[in-house]
Amino acid sequence: MNEVSIGQVVERIEAALARLDKAIPETVEQRARDARLRTTVEHALGELDELLAKPAARDQR
């Protein structure tokens, strides 16, 4: 059986926690960027809908 010392287990856990600490801020920043991008795209699509609706309103006159 492959026995691992408690010290090695602690080192592995600490290394994993360090990787998580690094990844979490990147994930938070990425989510914030994604939310801003989503808002920008939704706004642009809304403007496009308005522009496309204007000629249709003129054609109905």
Side-chain angles (χ1 to χ4, degrees), residues 2 4-5 7 10 12-14 19 25 29-30 32-37 41 51 55-56 61:
N2 185 9
V4 179
S5 73
V10 170
R12 289 178 184 175
I13 291 171
E14 288 175 342
R19 287 192 304 272
E29 289 174 13
Q30 183 178 0
R33 282 192 306 266
D34 290 349
R36 288 191 304 269
L37 178 59
V41 169
L51 290 173
R61 288 184 193 172

Side-chain angles (χ1 to χ4, degrees), residues 2-48:
N2 185 9
E3 292 188 23
V4 179
S5 73
I6 292 176
Q8 289 174 321
V9 171
V10 170
E11 287 175 6
R12 289 178 184 175
I13 291 171
E14 288 175 342
L17 289 174
R19 287 192 304 272
L20 280 174
D21 285 342
K22 252 180 143 175
I24 289 171
E26 293 171 3
T27 302
V28 170
E29 289 174 13
Q30 183 178 0
R31 287 183 184 157
R33 282 192 306 266
D34 290 349
R36 288 191 304 269
L37 178 59
R38 184 176 297 114
T39 301
T40 301
V41 169
E42 288 173 354
H43 181 73
L45 289 174
E47 289 179 350
L48 286 172

